[in-house]
Amino acid sequence: MSSTFFGAIADDFTGATDLAAMLARAGVPVTLRIGVPDRTAPATAFEVIALKIRTNPVEDAVAEARAALAWLRAKGAQRLFWKYCSTFDSTARGNIGPVAEALMSDLRLDRTVHCPAFPENGRRVFMGNLFVGDQPLSESPMKDHPLTPMRDSNLMRLLQPQVQRQTGLVAFPTVRAGSQAVRDAVAGLHGHIVLDAVEDTDLAVLAEACHEMPLICGGSAIAQPLPALWQAAGTLADTAQDPLPAPRAGRLVLAGSCSAMTRAQVGAYLRQAVGYRLDPLELAQGNGSDARKWLAAQDPNADKIIYATAEPKTVAAAQEKLGVARAGALVEDALAQLARDAVAQGIGQIVVAGGETSGAVTRALDVDQLRIGREIAPGVPWCFAGDGVAIALKSGNFGDEDFFAEAFAMLDTGGSVAAE
Ligand code: ADP
């Protein structure tokens, strides 16, 4: 049995696929696990464990993350990664800080670094402040997120109420001074060290400086340069992978994200696809079977989408009547059931929009392991389950407007589905 070299714990499912895609881009085979695997499951060199703990109570999130860490360490993982969203999705009582601290305690670490920057997707960190495109995080559409509205942009200020240890910053001028300057700065700080990064070249500097650290926390982009650094250092042996299965036919989009980009994507796809809109207020009255009947009546190969995606005002109105958690759970449960129906109907290609939504759908499909294929958009690969069903899990704001059509077109081309 081969042992694990790199082990990641992701706080949601799209985050896990995003990280897996970045590692696959670097040319290493990646296994994505849905939930903490069985103790006896054979391990591979690069393991990413997808949890769904972003909005769980802190104690639950910490317990699950520690169980994942224990599995990874038992499999021999030498480099660990706590993957959260590049928009730092969390509440003041959120889980990013507490999980980082629990992992640090279990690993007996005095410091870790936090690097959510993902320049290719417009997430940049400057002087500890996170930007989404040209807007500070707290002025971006993330301010209206249904579960984790982000009302501050300063990462140290966001982290501090979540943690016991101190926070610090390796600021942009130090990053531009190069990897040795970053290494020195990190060595002079303790606790949670936020790293500035504006361009991919900054991430390369940070990766060079931090690739020997036992624990890195952040978004997926910092991970891409890591495998080459480990290979160059001789810490990681060469890795090879078996071919991926041929994709099956039949397609469906399930959208539970209300993020600005998903709203645009749903609008764009509805110009070519038939659609069914889920409304949490109607679901609360027990109307879930209408969507199931609608899906059963569709041609499996036709372009179709079922979406709860709505404008912030509509979301707020539903949340006011039902409560945030109940509105979210009603939509997630309905989409999860529809995913089960879709697979039973022979649909073999499913695109899911939304991090929480992806978690609900993947669990409902009883998938425990996915292999990573080609990237549709930065951070969103096609993934393949054991039964050959292809699933793409898209974080709300990822992809461009034509993402859904592009995703299916990629499987249509009959070209290689392996990661490039
Ligand atoms: P993202 O990746 O954009 O954050 P998520 O799936 O993680 O998307 O989060 C969106 C949350 O909003 C989910 O819990 C989903 O069930 C909920 N939701 C979706 N549509 C609605 C709606 N119309 N009203 C209220 N909540 C909704």
Side-chain angles (χ1 to χ4, degrees), residues 12 14 52 54-55 85 89 142 145-148 255-260 262 277-281 307-311 314-319 322-333 335 352-359 394-398:
D12 84 343
T14 48
K52 186 177 183 302
R54 182 167 298 168
T55 54
C85 190
D89 302 16
M142 282 304 298
H145 190 279
L147 305 178
T148 51
S257 161
C258 298
S259 299
T262 302
R277 193 173 83 83
L278 284 177
D279 177 351
L281 294 171
Y307 60 100
T309 309
E311 296 296 319
T314 314
V315 173
Q319 290 180 331
L322 302 169
V324 174
R326 177 138 189 266
L330 281 165
V331 168
E332 288 175 35
D333 290 350
L335 289 170
V352 187
E356 295 293 322
T357 310
S358 292
K394 188 196 82 73
S395 173
N397 276 320
F398 278 19

Side-chain angles (χ1 to χ4, degrees), residues 183-243:
R183 221 174 272 129
D184 294 344
V186 167
L189 293 166
H190 297 279
H192 301 268
I193 305 165
V194 172
L195 304 175
D196 273 359
V198 171
E199 299 297 348
D200 282 346
T201 46
D202 300 321
L203 291 179
V205 167
L206 296 175
E208 167 88 42
C210 301
H211 69 282
E212 297 299 343
M213 289 182 77
L215 174 67
I216 293 178
C217 309
S220 61
I222 180 89
Q224 193 188 333
L226 294 174
L229 290 162
W230 293 322
Q231 269 155 351
T235 28
L236 173 67
D238 272 350
T239 43
Q241 74 175 316
D242 300 331

Side-chain angles (χ1 to χ4, degrees), residues 141-175:
M142 282 304 298
K143 69 184 188 306
D144 298 317
H145 190 279
L147 305 178
T148 51
M150 299 308 292
R151 302 283 159 80
D152 197 347
S153 307
N154 183 288
L155 293 172
M156 287 80 76
R157 241 176 3 233
L158 284 163
L159 257 176
Q160 196 63 73
Q162 299 182 359
V163 296
Q164 309 286 323
R165 295 171 172 85
Q166 67 197 63
T167 59
L169 173 68
V170 176
F172 188 68
T174 307
V175 178

Side-chain angles (χ1 to χ4, degrees), residues 36-383:
V36 182
D38 196 47
R39 194 187 298 259
T40 58
T44 60
F46 282 75
E47 294 279 352
V48 177
I49 299 182
L51 301 179
K52 186 177 183 302
I53 56 171
R54 182 167 298 168
T55 54
N56 286 16
V58 173
E59 307 74 55
D60 298 357
V62 164
E64 276 200 58
R66 293 184 69 194
L69 176 67
W71 188 86
L72 292 165
R73 293 181 84 192
K75 300 297 178 185
Q78 299 168 39
R79 299 285 184 278
L80 293 142
F81 199 101
W82 165 222
K83 161 71 178 74
Y84 49 75
C85 190
S86 59
T87 43
F88 211 79
D89 302 16
S90 58
T91 61
R93 303 209 333 256
N95 297 332
I96 291 178
V99 169
E101 297 219 308
L103 301 182
M104 289 167 79
S105 298
D106 286 2
L107 293 165
R108 299 183 189 284
L109 299 176
D110 175 45
R111 63 171 71 79
T112 188
V113 288
H114 288 262
C115 181
F118 193 160
E120 193 179 355
N121 274 347
R123 280 76 158 139
R124 298 178 159 87
V125 181
F126 181 70
M127 298 302 169
N129 290 278
L130 180 56
F131 290 80
V132 177
D134 56 4
Q135 295 170 313
L137 176 65
S138 59
E139 293 170 32
S140 78
M142 282 304 298
K143 69 184 188 306
D144 298 317
H145 190 279
L147 305 178
T148 51
M150 299 308 292
R151 302 283 159 80
D152 197 347
S153 307
N154 183 288
L155 293 172
M156 287 80 76
R157 241 176 3 233
L158 284 163
L159 257 176
Q160 196 63 73
Q162 299 182 359
V163 296
Q164 309 286 323
R165 295 171 172 85
Q166 67 197 63
T167 59
L169 173 68
V170 176
F172 188 68
T174 307
V175 178
R176 285 290 159 104
S179 58
Q180 190 54 49
V182 173
R183 221 174 272 129
D184 294 344
V186 167
L189 293 166
H190 297 279
H192 301 268
I193 305 165
V194 172
L195 304 175
D196 273 359
V198 171
E199 299 297 348
D200 282 346
T201 46
D202 300 321
L203 291 179
V205 167
L206 296 175
E208 167 88 42
C210 301
H211 69 282
E212 297 299 343
M213 289 182 77
L215 174 67
I216 293 178
C217 309
S220 61
I222 180 89
Q224 193 188 333
L226 294 174
L229 290 162
W230 293 322
Q231 269 155 351
T235 28
L236 173 67
D238 272 350
T239 43
Q241 74 175 316
D242 300 331
L244 289 162
R248 290 168 28 184
R251 48 179 64 175
L252 174 66
V253 176
L254 295 170
S257 161
C258 298
S259 299
M261 183 47 80
T262 302
R263 297 204 302 271
Q265 289 162 338
V266 170
Y269 196 55
L270 282 171
R271 290 200 281 274
Q272 74 181 74
V274 289
Y276 186 98
R277 193 173 83 83
L278 284 177
D279 177 351
L281 294 171
E282 286 175 18
L283 291 172
Q285 287 169 3
N287 292 1
S289 61
D290 293 358
R292 299 181 67 187
K293 281 187 207 140
W294 180 87
L295 177 61
Q298 307 304 311
D299 170 0
N301 293 316
D303 289 328
K304 56 195 160 308
I305 175 167
I306 300 176
Y307 60 100
T309 309
E311 296 296 319
K313 248 202 246 160
T314 314
V315 173
Q319 290 180 331
E320 199 170 307
K321 287 227 171 71
L322 302 169
V324 174
R326 177 138 189 266
L330 281 165
V331 168
E332 288 175 35
D333 290 350
L335 289 170
Q337 179 58 52
L338 288 159
R340 266 197 299 262
D341 290 356
V343 171
Q345 277 170 240
I347 290 175
Q349 305 173 10
I350 301 177
V351 175
V352 187
E356 295 293 322
T357 310
S358 292
V361 165
T362 321
R363 281 191 178 164
L365 293 181
D366 232 2
V367 174
D368 59 3
Q369 190 173 331
L370 289 165
R371 293 181 56 201
I372 306 303
R374 264 176 78 185
E375 246 178 320
I376 306 157
V380 197
W382 273 112
C383 303

